[in-house]
Structures are given as structure tokens and as C-alpha cells.
Amino acid sequence: MKEEPKIVSIGPIDLTNSVPAQEPNLDDLPVVSLRETVLFPGVTFPIDITRDSTAATINEASAKGIPIGVFCQIDPNDNNPTVSGLHKYGVVAVVVKVFELPDGSKVAVCVGQEKIVITGEGAGSTISGTLSVKAKPVKETNPRVTDKEFAVMVAQIRDITMNIIKQDQEQHRDMIFNLENVDSPTVMINIIATHSTFPVDDEIAMLRKARVKDRAVYLLTLLSQSEQIAELKAEIMRKTRRNLEDHQRNMILQHQFDALREELYGDENDAEELSAKAEELDMPEDVKKRFDKEVEKLRRLNPQSPDYSVQYSYLQTLTELPWGKKSNLNTDFSKAEEVLNADHYGLEKVKERILEQLAVMMNNPNGRSPIVCLVGAPGVGKTSLGQSIARALGRDYQRVSLGGLHDEAEIRGHRRTYLGAMPGRIIDAIRRAGSSNPVLLLDEIDKTGSDYKGDPSAALLEVLDPEQNVHFHDNYIDVDYDLSQVLFIATANTLQTIPQPLVDRMEIIDISGYLLEEKVEIARRHLIPRIALQNGFEADYFDFPPETITKIVESYTSESGVRQLEKMLAKVVRQIILRKMRGQDFSATVAPDGVQEYLGVERYTPERYEVTNIPGVAVGLAWTQAGGEILFIESGFTQGKGEKLTITGNLGDVMKESAVIAMQVVKARAAKYGVEPEWFDTRQLHIHVPEGAIPKDGPSAGITMCTSILSAMTGKPVRSRLAMTGEITLRGKVLPVGGIKEKILAAKRAGITDIVLCENNRKDISEIRPIYLEGLTFRYVTTIDDVFDIALEK
């Protein structure tokens, strides 16, 4: 790219001993081509001799006084241009002097004469072996002496040129002298046009002008632009010089300030230490700028002032955040599955759902991490599942407790203007984790509240939204932090207290609870070894047979998880240790009949099936937070006027409605079983569900109520060891219900052998391990008539 336009000049030249020039042969004119330079008529100009062809032409022309044609070549990088590679317009010039410079290079001084234009190629006979052209002269028209406009224009050209070259007078002293002593306006214009480094296209355009006045107008325009550029450059240089002076002044003051600080407070330099830490971090550009600005503030503060410690704590927090640091993730899916199975027994569906998510994340490590919410009763292993997921993925793990939060600042952080300000719990957990892609467990997300300090759940909307948490803004650090690589796992006991927008942002995984058989295995594999180690024994020191653990689960706990079970087992171990310390007889093996000796009177009595031939008693199956249970439903008719239905047993609204529907279903089929409709006019029905202190609700006892009512009405008892579960409609259709796995295991424990289910629940049975189904017979029904045919004794 060509430099910005400027004026160049040459010094005085000795023209003595020059050979007189001949008349130019325009039919065969030798050519010298110039790079990015255009020679105008009447101008003396030095030509560097750098090419062999140029040297041959110049030497012979100088020796014999042969005029040459000087043209500017189109491509400055072409070392051997042809006639087609030259601009058409040039000048006839005479070589007046060739001299050698101190560095060994040669320069030819040429004087331009008349303007010419190329008409074709020459024969090359004037100077053998050189490029030559055919040309014709181009006449130029000079302005009249009385043209005042031209005179003013020439004066402006002279003034602007002098203004430009005076900015570097040492380099252009000869040029200033020439301009001040040139009498001809035309020559002055041509000198300035030749020696100014304007773009070649502009110089050729000026040379083509036949009228000198038009050339002056063109030149004045270019010089005006050059003057503006020169003034702008000068202003930039002045500002740069002024800024350098200010910078040097600040540097001197800073050195003096550092010397005073070192004299007063020693050679400790917190700012330098923090800056060195920041250099090792991969901070985003905007964070880096903010950090440097805050470090400068720290340097200006007195270390003894309170503001210094606040500023230092802030900068220290920024350097402790894991900018750009990531954990080395586990890519072995089989290992991840092994970790999950080793840490948790049972929960097959839950683990399958988690493994699906882990497979997706391992397949695309750079994808956005999902927001998982584990919902279940206390003690089912939600928190430990979060830890296992972190281990399976090879990520760092941190727990964030949200229970009881009422202040939004606990999530977003406090502004530094407040006394005792600190970052929010999310950023603090990231800092403790030490990586940008940890697993953060948001524990008890359903137990946040809101008051005048704000709503933490609203702040969590940004944290748990993959579209927003890329630029999570904590009020304390006051810069954006990318949370998109963090795997958030929330835990909750219920979804009822979580705002719906927050629920929509999470993948809900329901953990219903453990079966009795699963609790026994969990105790044997995890709880008992852990309790033994905590109390200073080997992991396998204590022996709890499965029957003993079953006794503890059924008689001393009532829960979905294993938290109470762990407490009971720990109590048994403490009792054994107490006996050991007292020197009494003790055994590390706990037999079922010895449990009461350690734990006292049984707290719960497991429901067992009672063989009875009394009509009106049917066995249903129920699901509770503690697992499955069998449910006895008793119906009886008494003499009384008018149809009346009494329901007792602490039933909920849904269960009461099921009783009403059951009454209508049986009444509609009474004639089929030999009972006239008028029979109900003198009878009153009472339905009772034992254990009235325990609330009961749900539609799954519908077919059990129908069977109980029909049994009481006909006097036929229900078949022994038969239980049932299913919802009933007014048309007598049986609908499927949930909790089948828990209900079936409860029936098996109670001694039930036959179970009646809706046909649509058949698929649930196929998902249960065969070992749990041994000894059970399943009967699938679609209508209440099918139930009656199976349930009532013939």
C-alpha cells in the first residue's frame, strides 16, 4: 500500500560536462519505466537505477545524448514490463547526469520535456536491445497571464505545499528553496505534482489534463486533503506525546507511593500477589478488565483502612473462583453404572432414569447439563444419590442447603456496599468445588419461603434455566459467571410447595420408597457396616440375620426410607457396646426374639391376614408413605327406615365417594343375587375401615367396598386369603391404580395368596422381579361382575 501523500525533494546537481541532447525519435523512443512515480514536463527528477535494462538505456542515452521516454508502469511489482504494462501518458526526458552514491547505487538525473502519448511499439533500433515505443506529442494549453482565478489557485497551491513541507523543514529545505524561486506557475505545478506521492491514478489523471488550469484544480483538491491528513497526524502526535508525559508522571508517582508504602507497612504487596494469581486463571476479557480496575483501587488504599480489607476480600474471591477449570470427566459408562449400583440397592426405575441421563451427558460432554429434581419421602436416599451421580461422572460435589431460606440475597449474593457482604450460596459452592463443572445438590428446594427480603425461589429461576444461567450475575462479584456446565440436582419431599415455573425447569424423578426386602438388603450391605465402623468395630463384626432386620422394620419403623431403621440399628449396637463396657454377657449376633430386649416394646403391629367366615369383610390393598399395607373393609346392614349410608374409619373425601359409588353399583345388581330393590327400603348400611386414628384416602378401595357390601347383603363370605385393589365406576368398570409393587409385597407378607387386579395393571406385574411374585396368584378383571365371580364363595 502506498504511503500517505507527502512532498519529496532533491539537492543541487552539477550539470557540467553533460552531452547535448539530440532531437527525440518518436517513432522509436527508448523507454525507462518508473514504479509509482509520474514525471511531469519541465521537472528535474532523480531516477534510481536498479534494473539492468534501465542501466543499459540510461548509460547509452547519457553517453550519446539520446532523449528517452519516461513512463510509469501499471504493476509496480513487474520487473520487465512490456508496452502494454505502461501507462499511455508520459514525457520525453533528457539524461543530464549519472552519478554513484556512497552505498554503491547509481542515480540518473533526468529533465522532463514535452508530454507524449504511446501509439504503438517501437522497433528497438535507437538503443539496441531495449524497450521502445512509438509516441506522439500532446500539446498543453497554459492559462493567460491575466487569468486572476488561476493566479489565486497557484498561490493557494504554493501556500498549502509550503505548510505541509515546513512540518519537516530539515528534509525539504531544497524543495522550499525551489518553490520560492520558481517564476513559472506551470513549472511550479508540475514540480509539486511530480514530487508529491499521491496515488498513481491521480498523478496520471493530472498528467492527462491538456489544460494546465484543470491540472491545478485537481492538484489543489489533492493537496487540501493531504493538508487535513497532515494536521490530523500532527494532532495525534501531540495527544500521544501528552499521554506519554502523563503516563510517565503517573509511573513516577506510583513508584514513590510504592516506596512510601514499603517504608510504612513492609514489603508485602497484596495487589501484586492477587495480580499474579489472576494471570494464572482463564478469566473472560470483561472480568479481567474489571479485576485490573479493582486492583488499581486496592493499590491506592491505605492497608490500615476498613475499605482495604473489603476490597481485598472481593479480589480474593474473584481469584478463588475456578475460571476455566474443569474436572476430568469419567467416560466409562460401565464404571458409572457400577458406582451407582454399588452405592444404592433397589430403586431400579430411579437408577435406570438416572443412567439414561448419564448416558446422554457422556455421549455429549459439551452439551447443556439438565436440571434434575429428586422427589421422595425423607430417608429414601435423595442426597446420597446426588453424591453417587457426582462420583459416577467424575465431577466435584458440593451441597447447597436451601431449607428455611427467606432471603433472595442468599442466592444472588449481597452487594458490596453492605457491611459483611458475601457471595451467594451458588457462587460460594462453585468456589468450594474448585471447578466450573461440578455437581451441585440443591437440598430441600421445597422448603424455601418468601418475605420482605425477597423470594429465593424466584432467584432460582435464573440459576436453573439453561438459557439464562450462562450469564448468572451474582451481586457480590458483580460480573457474570457461566453456570451452563454445572449439573444441578435438586431434592424435595413434595412438589406442592415449589412454584410451577420452577418445576417446569426441572426433570422430575420420583423416588417412591423402599420395599421391605430392599430395606433388609440396604441394612445388611450399607447401614450395619457403616454403624460398626463408626463405633470402632470391623464392618462385619455385627451379625443381623434378615429375620431380625425384618422384625425391626415392621415393629419399630414406619417410613418410606431407612433413616429410622438406621437409628434403631444404631441403638441396638449401642446397647451391645454398653453391655460390653459393663462387663456383662453380650453377643454380636442379634436374634429376632432378642430385638425387644434392646429396643423395648414394639411400636407398630404389622397387619396380618385373619381367616374369617364372617360375611361383609373384604381385604383391600393400600399404599402409604411407609410402603404397602393390607386394609380390612367391614360392611353390615341393620334394620331401619329409609336408605341410609354410614361411613367411619377417618376416610378422606375420595374414599367416601368410592363408598357411595360402591353402594349404587351393588344396588343396581341386587336382583341378580336374589335381593329385591324394596329390601333396601328397610335396611341401613354401615361401612367401617379399622384403625380409625390413621387417615385414609384414595379411589383404590372401590372394588373392595363393592365386594364387602355384596357379601354382607347376600350373607356369602369372601374367599379366604384373597385381596384386591382397583377403582370402580358407576357403570361397574374396574380402573387401574398405582403402587402395585408395594401393595403386592404387603399382601405377600400378610399371608395373601390370591390378588385381584385390573387388567390394565398386568403391565405393572411384569416389571416386578419374579422372586417377589413367588406363591402369589393374580386374577385380572375388567368389570365388577368379574370381581364378584372370583371373590364370593359359591
Side-chain angles (χ1 to χ4, degrees):
M1 182 179 290
K2 198 171 183 182
E3 297 180 356
E4 294 293 342
K6 61 183 179 180
I7 305 298
V8 298
S9 62
I10 60 172
I13 301 171
D14 183 10
L15 300 180
T16 58
N17 301 322
S18 298
V19 177
Q22 305 175 12
E23 286 295 324
N25 181 9
L26 295 182
D27 291 329
D28 188 24
L29 185 66
V31 171
V32 170
S33 61
L34 304 181
R35 291 186 175 96
E36 297 185 313
T37 301
V38 178
L39 183 61
F40 283 75
V43 179
T44 301
F45 189 80
I47 298 176
D48 292 331
I49 302 175
T50 58
R51 289 181 280 200
D52 294 340
S53 59
T54 302
T57 303
I58 291 291
N59 289 336
E60 189 160 350
S62 175
K64 298 180 180 180
I66 300 173
I68 59 174
V70 180
F71 296 89
C72 180
Q73 61 189 60
I74 297 174
D75 182 5
N77 298 316
D78 189 356
N79 289 325
N80 295 294
T82 60
V83 174
S84 61
L86 302 176
H87 287 284
K88 298 299 182 184
Y89 284 83
V91 294
V92 174
V94 176
V95 180
V96 296
K97 188 73 174 179
V98 178
F99 55 90
E100 188 173 344
L101 297 178
D103 61 358
S105 60
K106 291 184 178 181
V107 175
V109 178
C110 302
V111 178
Q113 295 181 337
E114 62 179 334
K115 181 170 68 174
I116 56 177
V117 61
I118 296 174
T119 59
E121 294 186 9
S125 59
T126 303
I127 299 178
S128 177
T130 62
L131 180 67
S132 63
V133 297
K134 289 183 180 181
K136 66 177 181 180
V138 179
K139 185 178 181 180
E140 292 190 337
T141 304
N142 291 312
R144 291 176 296 177
V145 179
T146 58
D147 191 336
K148 295 182 179 180
E149 181 182 5
F150 179 71
V152 172
M153 197 180 307
V154 170
Q156 285 182 318
I157 291 173
R158 183 193 301 272
D159 293 341
I160 293 174
T161 304
M162 295 294 290
N163 185 34
I164 294 175
I165 63 179
K166 280 182 179 179
Q167 295 181 19
D168 192 359
Q169 295 187 22
E170 290 298 322
Q171 183 178 352
H172 301 296
R173 283 182 299 176
D174 301 325
M175 186 69 178
I176 296 172
F177 176 81
N178 291 336
L179 292 179
E180 289 177 346
N181 293 277
V182 171
D183 295 330
S184 170
T186 300
V187 175
M188 186 195 71
I189 290 171
N190 289 344
I191 290 175
I192 296 173
T194 299
H195 291 282
S196 298
T197 54
F198 294 120
V200 171
D201 291 341
D202 289 327
E203 294 188 358
I204 291 295
M206 285 191 289
L207 181 62
R208 294 182 59 163
K209 301 292 183 183
R211 297 175 66 237
V212 175
K213 185 175 181 179
D214 293 340
R215 184 180 301 161
V217 172
Y218 203 120
L219 178 61
L220 181 59
T221 302
L222 296 176
L223 287 172
S224 298
Q225 295 174 356
S226 300
E227 184 182 33
Q228 293 175 3
I229 294 174
E231 291 176 353
L232 182 59
K233 281 186 174 181
E235 179 63 24
I236 292 173
M237 288 300 296
R238 284 194 295 270
K239 288 183 178 179
T240 302
R241 193 177 296 111
R242 188 162 55 248
N243 290 338
L244 286 174
E245 291 173 355
D246 292 342
H247 180 70
Q248 291 173 350
R249 175 176 174 274
N250 292 336
M251 287 281 291
I252 293 172
L253 292 175
Q254 184 65 47
H255 287 311
Q256 293 176 347
F257 182 76
D258 291 341
L260 289 172
R261 181 199 294 272
E262 183 176 346
E263 187 68 26
L264 290 172
Y265 310 113
D267 58 356
E268 293 184 3
N269 195 330
D270 294 332
E272 295 302 327
E273 292 179 2
L274 291 170
S275 296
K277 288 182 181 179
E279 288 297 327
E280 299 175 359
L281 300 174
D282 187 18
M283 288 183 175
E285 191 62 31
D286 57 331
V287 178
K288 180 62 177 173
K289 289 181 181 178
R290 179 62 180 271
F291 179 85
D292 293 342
K293 181 179 178 182
E294 297 296 332
V295 166
E296 289 303 318
K297 289 183 182 178
L298 182 69
R299 288 193 173 100
R300 294 194 294 269
L301 292 174
N302 184 342
Q304 304 300 321
S305 69
D307 291 341
Y308 185 90
S309 61
V310 173
Q311 186 73 1
Y312 179 80
S313 297
Y314 168 68
L315 291 171
Q316 190 176 38
T317 301
L318 283 181
T319 57
E320 289 176 350
L321 288 175
W323 302 99
K325 294 182 180 179
K326 294 183 179 181
S327 303
N328 294 324
L329 302 184
N330 172 37
T331 58
D332 187 349
F333 182 77
S334 60
K335 181 180 177 181
E337 188 172 9
E338 181 181 340
V339 168
L340 209 57
N341 288 327
D343 289 350
H344 291 84
Y345 182 83
L347 302 177
E348 302 301 334
K349 287 186 178 180
V350 175
K351 288 193 292 186
E352 186 70 18
R353 177 64 183 84
I354 292 173
L355 287 171
E356 288 176 6
Q357 200 62 58
L358 295 184
V360 172
M361 295 173 66
M362 288 185 177
N363 186 58
N364 183 19
N366 296 323
R368 291 179 175 175
S369 299
I371 314 297
V372 177
C373 182
L374 306 176
V375 181
V380 296
K382 300 184 295 296
T383 303
S384 60
L385 267 173
Q387 293 175 321
S388 296
I389 292 172
R391 282 212 313 131
L393 288 172
R395 298 193 182 199
D396 296 303
Y397 169 84
Q398 286 295 324
R399 175 177 169 271
V400 179
S401 177
L402 301 180
L405 281 191
H406 288 266
D407 190 354
E408 180 186 355
E410 292 286 347
I411 305 297
R412 295 187 187 274
H414 303 79
R415 297 190 182 278
R416 285 185 291 139
T417 53
Y418 296 109
L419 185 64
M422 62 182 67
R425 298 196 180 191
I426 303 298
I427 291 297
D428 183 61
I430 295 289
R431 178 182 61 80
R432 287 185 280 112
S435 62
S436 294
N437 61 340
V439 172
L440 291 192
L441 184 78
L442 306 180
D443 210 8
E444 310 293 356
I445 197 173
D446 58 326
K447 295 178 178 59
T448 61
S450 61
D451 56 17
Y452 66 94
K453 296 181 181 179
D455 186 357
S457 61
L460 287 172
L461 292 176
E462 179 186 1
V463 176
L464 301 182
D465 190 342
E467 299 296 332
Q468 301 181 43
N469 64 13
V470 178
H471 303 290
F472 175 69
H473 191 86
D474 185 277
N475 293 328
Y476 180 79
I477 64 173
D478 204 21
V479 291
D480 291 344
Y481 194 90
D482 184 4
L483 298 178
S484 61
Q485 297 298 315
V486 178
L487 174 57
F488 290 100
I489 300 178
T491 69
N493 297 130
T494 177
L495 297 178
Q496 301 301 319
T497 57
I498 305 177
Q500 190 59 41
L502 196 56
V503 175
D504 291 342
R505 283 166 167 76
M506 299 186 291
E507 295 275 348
I508 306 300
I509 298 179
D510 185 59
I511 304 178
S512 58
Y514 296 106
L515 306 173
L516 172 62
E517 290 77 4
E518 291 173 340
K519 290 181 180 180
V520 171
E521 286 299 318
I522 290 171
R524 291 179 62 251
R525 298 186 183 191
H526 301 286
L527 302 184
I528 296 173
R530 184 165 68 207
I531 294 171
L533 292 172
Q534 289 172 352
N535 288 278
F537 296 95
E538 295 294 331
D540 57 352
Y541 181 80
F542 296 101
D543 181 19
F544 285 75
E547 297 78 12
T548 301
I549 301 173
T550 301
K551 175 74 172 179
I552 296 174
V553 172
E554 291 184 336
S555 302
Y556 294 92
T557 68
S558 178
E559 59 175 346
S560 295
V562 293
R563 194 167 291 165
Q564 292 181 25
L565 174 59
E566 185 174 10
K567 291 178 181 178
M568 292 298 106
L569 293 171
K571 185 175 181 179
V572 172
V573 171
R574 289 196 302 270
Q575 286 288 328
I576 295 174
I577 295 173
L578 179 60
R579 294 187 180 191
K580 177 183 177 182
M581 299 306 294
R582 285 176 173 174
Q584 299 175 353
D585 292 337
F586 71 94
S587 174
T589 300
V590 183
D593 54 1
V595 172
Q596 189 168 350
E597 184 179 352
Y598 294 114
L599 298 180
V601 179
E602 296 179 0
R603 300 181 183 181
Y604 306 98
T605 302
E607 195 71 57
R608 295 293 181 185
Y609 178 74
E610 300 174 0
V611 179
T612 177
N613 292 322
I614 301 174
V617 179
V619 181
L621 299 175
W623 179 90
T624 68
Q625 288 288 340
E629 289 184 1
I630 64 171
L631 197 67
F632 289 93
I633 296 181
E634 303 171 350
S635 299
F637 286 93
T638 58
Q639 294 287 339
K641 292 184 178 180
E643 183 180 334
K644 183 180 179 182
L645 175 61
T646 304
I647 305 171
T648 56
N650 197 0
L651 308 185
D653 292 338
V654 176
M655 204 165 181
K656 288 179 180 179
E657 291 174 357
S658 294
V660 175
I661 294 172
M663 177 62 185
Q664 294 300 320
V665 169
V666 173
K667 190 175 179 181
R669 289 163 174 75
K672 179 180 178 181
Y673 295 95
V675 178
E676 297 296 330
E678 294 80 8
W679 184 82
F680 291 96
D681 296 337
T682 59
R683 301 291 190 279
Q684 294 180 349
L685 174 62
H686 186 163
I687 299 176
H688 176 67
V689 183
E691 298 186 14
I694 302 175
K696 310 170 191 68
D697 204 0
S700 63
I703 63 173
T704 312
M705 288 182 174
C706 288
T707 304
S708 175
I709 294 171
L710 184 62
S711 174
M713 182 182 72
T714 59
K716 296 179 180 180
V718 179
R719 289 178 55 185
S720 61
R721 301 193 181 279
L722 176 74
M724 60 193 71
T725 182
E727 183 179 354
I728 189 66
T729 69
L730 201 57
R731 296 174 294 157
K733 184 177 180 180
V734 180
L735 301 180
V737 292
I740 296 300
K741 182 178 180 181
E742 291 82 358
K743 292 176 180 179
I744 287 173
L745 292 175
K748 184 177 181 180
R749 290 194 300 269
I752 301 295
T753 58
D754 293 83
I755 298 176
V756 178
L757 296 173
C758 174
E759 177 65 35
N760 291 333
N761 282 127
R762 187 189 292 268
K763 62 181 182 297
D764 299 305
I765 301 299
S766 63
E767 296 179 354
I768 302 175
R769 293 170 63 183
I771 190 174
Y772 297 145
L773 305 180
E774 292 178 0
L776 295 177
T777 301
F778 297 96
R779 302 175 182 274
Y780 301 102
V781 297
T782 56
T783 66
I784 193 63
D785 296 310
D786 299 334
V787 177
F788 291 160
D789 291 342
I790 295 170
L792 295 182
E793 293 283 359
K794 301 299 182 181

